[in-house]
mmCIF file with all atom_site columns, all heavy atoms in Angstrom:
data_model
loop_
_atom_site.group_PDB
_atom_site.id
_atom_site.type_symbol
_atom_site.label_atom_id
_atom_site.label_alt_id
_atom_site.label_comp_id
_atom_site.label_asym_id
_atom_site.label_entity_id
_atom_site.label_seq_id
_atom_site.pdbx_PDB_ins_code
_atom_site.Cartn_x
_atom_site.Cartn_y
_atom_site.Cartn_z
_atom_site.occupancy
_atom_site.B_iso_or_equiv
_atom_site.pdbx_formal_charge
_atom_site.auth_seq_id
_atom_site.auth_comp_id
_atom_site.auth_asym_id
_atom_site.auth_atom_id
_atom_site.pdbx_PDB_model_num
ATOM 1  N N   . PRO O 1 194 ? 38.201 -4.282 51.951 1.00 0.00 ? 1646 PRO O N   1
ATOM 2  C CA  . PRO O 1 194 ? 38.920 -2.998 51.873 1.00 0.00 ? 1646 PRO O CA  1
ATOM 3  C C   . PRO O 1 194 ? 38.606 -2.239 50.594 1.00 0.00 ? 1646 PRO O C   1
ATOM 4  O O   . PRO O 1 194 ? 38.241 -2.837 49.569 1.00 0.00 ? 1646 PRO O O   1
ATOM 5  C CB  . PRO O 1 194 ? 40.386 -3.399 51.914 1.00 0.00 ? 1646 PRO O CB  1
ATOM 6  C CG  . PRO O 1 194 ? 40.426 -4.821 51.501 1.00 0.00 ? 1646 PRO O CG  1
ATOM 7  C CD  . PRO O 1 194 ? 39.096 -5.434 51.820 1.00 0.00 ? 1646 PRO O CD  1
ATOM 8  N N   . ILE O 1 195 ? 38.754 -0.947 50.647 1.00 0.00 ? 1647 ILE O N   1
ATOM 9  C CA  . ILE O 1 195 ? 38.602 -0.117 49.456 1.00 0.00 ? 1647 ILE O CA  1
ATOM 10 C C   . ILE O 1 195 ? 39.685 -0.505 48.459 1.00 0.00 ? 1647 ILE O C   1
ATOM 11 O O   . ILE O 1 195 ? 40.801 -0.857 48.832 1.00 0.00 ? 1647 ILE O O   1
ATOM 12 C CB  . ILE O 1 195 ? 38.665 1.385  49.831 1.00 0.00 ? 1647 ILE O CB  1
ATOM 13 C CG1 . ILE O 1 195 ? 38.165 2.235  48.662 1.00 0.00 ? 1647 ILE O CG1 1
ATOM 14 C CG2 . ILE O 1 195 ? 40.053 1.805  50.277 1.00 0.00 ? 1647 ILE O CG2 1
ATOM 15 C CD1 . ILE O 1 195 ? 37.800 3.651  49.042 1.00 0.00 ? 1647 ILE O CD1 1
ATOM 16 N N   . ASN O 1 196 ? 39.370 -0.498 47.186 1.00 0.00 ? 1648 ASN O N   1
ATOM 17 C CA  . ASN O 1 196 ? 40.370 -0.845 46.173 1.00 0.00 ? 1648 ASN O CA  1
ATOM 18 C C   . ASN O 1 196 ? 40.888 0.429  45.491 1.00 0.00 ? 1648 ASN O C   1
ATOM 19 O O   . ASN O 1 196 ? 40.498 1.540  45.859 1.00 0.00 ? 1648 ASN O O   1
ATOM 20 C CB  . ASN O 1 196 ? 39.801 -1.852 45.161 1.00 0.00 ? 1648 ASN O CB  1
ATOM 21 C CG  . ASN O 1 196 ? 38.599 -1.304 44.407 1.00 0.00 ? 1648 ASN O CG  1
ATOM 22 O OD1 . ASN O 1 196 ? 38.507 -0.112 44.139 1.00 0.00 ? 1648 ASN O OD1 1
ATOM 23 N ND2 . ASN O 1 196 ? 37.675 -2.193 44.068 1.00 0.00 ? 1648 ASN O ND2 1
ATOM 24 N N   . VAL O 1 197 ? 41.760 0.261  44.520 1.00 0.00 ? 1649 VAL O N   1
ATOM 25 C CA  . VAL O 1 197 ? 42.424 1.424  43.941 1.00 0.00 ? 1649 VAL O CA  1
ATOM 26 C C   . VAL O 1 197 ? 41.418 2.325  43.220 1.00 0.00 ? 1649 VAL O C   1
ATOM 27 O O   . VAL O 1 197 ? 41.525 3.559  43.285 1.00 0.00 ? 1649 VAL O O   1
ATOM 28 C CB  . VAL O 1 197 ? 43.599 0.994  43.025 1.00 0.00 ? 1649 VAL O CB  1
ATOM 29 C CG1 . VAL O 1 197 ? 43.092 0.309  41.774 1.00 0.00 ? 1649 VAL O CG1 1
ATOM 30 C CG2 . VAL O 1 197 ? 44.482 2.177  42.689 1.00 0.00 ? 1649 VAL O CG2 1
ATOM 31 N N   . ASP O 1 198 ? 40.419 1.722  42.565 1.00 0.00 ? 1650 ASP O N   1
ATOM 32 C CA  . ASP O 1 198 ? 39.403 2.548  41.913 1.00 0.00 ? 1650 ASP O CA  1
ATOM 33 C C   . ASP O 1 198 ? 38.638 3.367  42.945 1.00 0.00 ? 1650 ASP O C   1
ATOM 34 O O   . ASP O 1 198 ? 38.389 4.565  42.750 1.00 0.00 ? 1650 ASP O O   1
ATOM 35 C CB  . ASP O 1 198 ? 38.413 1.663  41.136 1.00 0.00 ? 1650 ASP O CB  1
ATOM 36 C CG  . ASP O 1 198 ? 39.023 1.050  39.881 1.00 0.00 ? 1650 ASP O CG  1
ATOM 37 O OD1 . ASP O 1 198 ? 40.072 1.545  39.430 1.00 0.00 ? 1650 ASP O OD1 1
ATOM 38 O OD2 . ASP O 1 198 ? 38.452 0.077  39.367 1.00 0.00 ? 1650 ASP O OD2 1
ATOM 39 N N   . GLY O 1 199 ? 38.247 2.714  44.022 1.00 0.00 ? 1651 GLY O N   1
ATOM 40 C CA  . GLY O 1 199 ? 37.497 3.418  45.058 1.00 0.00 ? 1651 GLY O CA  1
ATOM 41 C C   . GLY O 1 199 ? 38.312 4.543  45.673 1.00 0.00 ? 1651 GLY O C   1
ATOM 42 O O   . GLY O 1 199 ? 37.806 5.657  45.915 1.00 0.00 ? 1651 GLY O O   1
ATOM 43 N N   . ALA O 1 200 ? 39.597 4.279  45.914 1.00 0.00 ? 1652 ALA O N   1
ATOM 44 C CA  . ALA O 1 200 ? 40.458 5.304  46.509 1.00 0.00 ? 1652 ALA O CA  1
ATOM 45 C C   . ALA O 1 200 ? 40.591 6.501  45.575 1.00 0.00 ? 1652 ALA O C   1
ATOM 46 O O   . ALA O 1 200 ? 40.518 7.661  45.999 1.00 0.00 ? 1652 ALA O O   1
ATOM 47 C CB  . ALA O 1 200 ? 41.834 4.707  46.824 1.00 0.00 ? 1652 ALA O CB  1
ATOM 48 N N   . ILE O 1 201 ? 40.782 6.218  44.290 1.00 0.00 ? 1653 ILE O N   1
ATOM 49 C CA  . ILE O 1 201 ? 40.900 7.322  43.329 1.00 0.00 ? 1653 ILE O CA  1
ATOM 50 C C   . ILE O 1 201 ? 39.595 8.115  43.282 1.00 0.00 ? 1653 ILE O C   1
ATOM 51 O O   . ILE O 1 201 ? 39.598 9.351  43.279 1.00 0.00 ? 1653 ILE O O   1
ATOM 52 C CB  . ILE O 1 201 ? 41.274 6.785  41.921 1.00 0.00 ? 1653 ILE O CB  1
ATOM 53 C CG1 . ILE O 1 201 ? 42.681 6.196  41.945 1.00 0.00 ? 1653 ILE O CG1 1
ATOM 54 C CG2 . ILE O 1 201 ? 41.177 7.889  40.875 1.00 0.00 ? 1653 ILE O CG2 1
ATOM 55 C CD1 . ILE O 1 201 ? 43.095 5.508  40.644 1.00 0.00 ? 1653 ILE O CD1 1
ATOM 56 N N   . GLY O 1 202 ? 38.472 7.424  43.282 1.00 0.00 ? 1654 GLY O N   1
ATOM 57 C CA  . GLY O 1 202 ? 37.180 8.102  43.252 1.00 0.00 ? 1654 GLY O CA  1
ATOM 58 C C   . GLY O 1 202 ? 37.003 9.012  44.459 1.00 0.00 ? 1654 GLY O C   1
ATOM 59 O O   . GLY O 1 202 ? 36.570 10.172 44.316 1.00 0.00 ? 1654 GLY O O   1
ATOM 60 N N   . ALA O 1 203 ? 37.357 8.498  45.639 1.00 0.00 ? 1655 ALA O N   1
ATOM 61 C CA  . ALA O 1 203 ? 37.208 9.304  46.856 1.00 0.00 ? 1655 ALA O CA  1
ATOM 62 C C   . ALA O 1 203 ? 38.097 10.543 46.791 1.00 0.00 ? 1655 ALA O C   1
ATOM 63 O O   . ALA O 1 203 ? 37.676 11.660 47.119 1.00 0.00 ? 1655 ALA O O   1
ATOM 64 C CB  . ALA O 1 203 ? 37.559 8.453  48.081 1.00 0.00 ? 1655 ALA O CB  1
ATOM 65 N N   . ILE O 1 204 ? 39.332 10.353 46.348 1.00 0.00 ? 1656 ILE O N   1
ATOM 66 C CA  . ILE O 1 204 ? 40.282 11.476 46.316 1.00 0.00 ? 1656 ILE O CA  1
ATOM 67 C C   . ILE O 1 204 ? 39.873 12.505 45.259 1.00 0.00 ? 1656 ILE O C   1
ATOM 68 O O   . ILE O 1 204 ? 39.875 13.712 45.530 1.00 0.00 ? 1656 ILE O O   1
ATOM 69 C CB  . ILE O 1 204 ? 41.716 10.952 46.060 1.00 0.00 ? 1656 ILE O CB  1
ATOM 70 C CG1 . ILE O 1 204 ? 42.196 10.170 47.286 1.00 0.00 ? 1656 ILE O CG1 1
ATOM 71 C CG2 . ILE O 1 204 ? 42.663 12.092 45.731 1.00 0.00 ? 1656 ILE O CG2 1
ATOM 72 C CD1 . ILE O 1 204 ? 43.476 9.379  47.063 1.00 0.00 ? 1656 ILE O CD1 1
ATOM 73 N N   . LEU O 1 205 ? 39.512 12.044 44.053 1.00 0.00 ? 1657 LEU O N   1
ATOM 74 C CA  . LEU O 1 205 ? 39.109 13.003 43.018 1.00 0.00 ? 1657 LEU O CA  1
ATOM 75 C C   . LEU O 1 205 ? 37.880 13.791 43.471 1.00 0.00 ? 1657 LEU O C   1
ATOM 76 O O   . LEU O 1 205 ? 37.771 14.995 43.217 1.00 0.00 ? 1657 LEU O O   1
ATOM 77 C CB  . LEU O 1 205 ? 38.818 12.286 41.699 1.00 0.00 ? 1657 LEU O CB  1
ATOM 78 C CG  . LEU O 1 205 ? 40.014 11.629 40.985 1.00 0.00 ? 1657 LEU O CG  1
ATOM 79 C CD1 . LEU O 1 205 ? 39.557 10.957 39.676 1.00 0.00 ? 1657 LEU O CD1 1
ATOM 80 C CD2 . LEU O 1 205 ? 41.127 12.632 40.683 1.00 0.00 ? 1657 LEU O CD2 1
#
Side-chain angles (χ1 to χ4, degrees):
Chain O
I1647 194 163
N1648 61 33
V1649 69
D1650 288 343
I1653 293 174
I1656 291 169
L1657 293 180

